[in-house]
Amino acid sequence: FIEFETLKKHIDLLARFKVNTFHWHMTENQAWRFEVKAYPQLTSSASMTRFAGKYYTQEQCRELQDYAKERGVIVIPEIDMPGHSKAVIETYPQVGCTNKDKTMSVNGEVNNVWCVGKESNYQMIDDIVAELVELFPSKLIHLGGDEVNMDNWKNCPHCQAFMKKMGMKEEIELLNYFVRRMEKIVNKHGRTLVGWD
């Protein structure tokens, strides 16, 4: 977590060196760092005791966006999923896979992956993206999309049933499906999806 006034100093430095893009990594395993009105528990300290509960309000997001715009800097927000999502899954357990898988991701976390087989997850993502695009006019929304611990999906009955229904043979196809669903959601809101390769 970077204090808000320090973020402004980062923007000042970017502008000074004529860097016109600030990629704001707003979520990670450790915490969800921006306020989502539809899902207030994502940023409530009571539900994030492990993750310290610091976050940016929507007003701060707008303020930083305006501050950056005045200096010729575009803010590209990133919400990291389907991996790197421990904070979300600890706060809203229904988002994760239904299993007792204890394999670790490259970040040393277990159960930090969104379940691809639960249709309700895509409505939640749509709600989050709807609020995100109101805060940031950037044409790009960054998904993250990397370092997914697919063992969660191998051991999840919802994901396995979904794979069977869709005729999928490998878990990488679940990642491809998730990214394409995200792309449709982001496109619906008039933006373009980008992510890590």
Side-chain angles (χ1 to χ4, degrees):
F1 183 82
I2 298 171
E3 296 299 332
F4 188 65
E5 291 305 314
T6 305
L7 281 176
K8 287 183 175 179
K9 290 176 183 174
H10 282 281
I11 298 295
D12 289 338
L13 285 169
L14 289 172
R16 183 174 186 178
F17 291 102
K18 303 196 184 308
V19 177
N20 69 354
T21 304
F22 174 52
H23 176 173
W24 197 2
H25 195 142
M26 303 183 80
T27 73
E28 184 49 82
N29 276 313
Q30 291 76 15
W32 188 279
R33 297 295 191 195
F34 79 99
E35 178 184 26
V36 179
K37 306 274 190 191
Y39 301 95
Q41 290 181 359
L42 285 173
T43 50
S44 86
S45 55
S47 65
M48 294 175 64
T49 52
R50 183 174 168 213
F51 302 106
K54 288 187 174 183
Y55 67 95
Y56 307 101
T57 65
Q58 290 198 358
E59 290 72 25
Q60 286 176 313
C61 291
R62 285 189 187 93
E63 183 180 340
L64 190 73
Q65 162 59 41
D66 292 342
Y67 189 85
K69 185 178 179 183
E70 287 171 7
R71 287 153 183 80
V73 177
I74 299 162
V75 179
I76 298 175
E78 176 181 339
I79 49 174
D80 215 340
M81 55 180 67
H84 292 260
S85 297
K86 187 69 172 179
V88 177
I89 291 162
E90 285 205 356
T91 307
Y92 291 94
Q94 69 273 19
V95 166
C97 290
T98 306
N99 63 42
K100 294 182 178 168
D101 188 83
K102 296 298 176 197
T103 57
M104 288 190 179
S105 68
V106 295
N107 318 98
E109 297 286 354
V110 295
N111 297 324
N112 70 337
V113 179
W114 287 68
C115 181
V116 179
K118 295 177 182 174
E119 186 62 28
S120 58
N121 282 351
Y122 302 103
Q123 183 57 56
M124 183 176 183
I125 293 167
D126 193 298
D127 295 340
I128 290 167
V129 170
E131 292 193 32
L132 194 68
V133 299
E134 288 298 313
L135 300 173
F136 300 100
S138 163
K139 291 180 180 176
L140 305 176
I141 302 291
H142 202 292
L143 159 71
D146 65 329
E147 300 175 339
V148 179
N149 181 3
M150 295 184 203
D151 285 336
N152 284 262
W153 295 339
K154 284 180 184 174
N155 298 308
C156 174
H158 297 285
C159 288
Q160 290 303 307
F162 186 75
M163 283 181 69
K164 187 174 182 181
K165 175 184 168 186
M166 300 297 288
M168 297 176 180
K169 297 192 175 8
E170 297 178 17
E171 282 70 25
I172 190 69
E173 294 174 89
L174 290 173
L175 178 59
N176 293 339
Y177 176 85
F178 185 91
V179 170
R180 294 297 176 217
R181 279 293 293 268
M182 276 290 296
E183 183 177 38
K184 285 179 183 174
I185 291 168
V186 168
N187 289 166
K188 180 180 97 170
H189 291 281
R191 308 301 170 84
T192 299
L193 184 74
V194 291
W196 300 114
D197 183 0

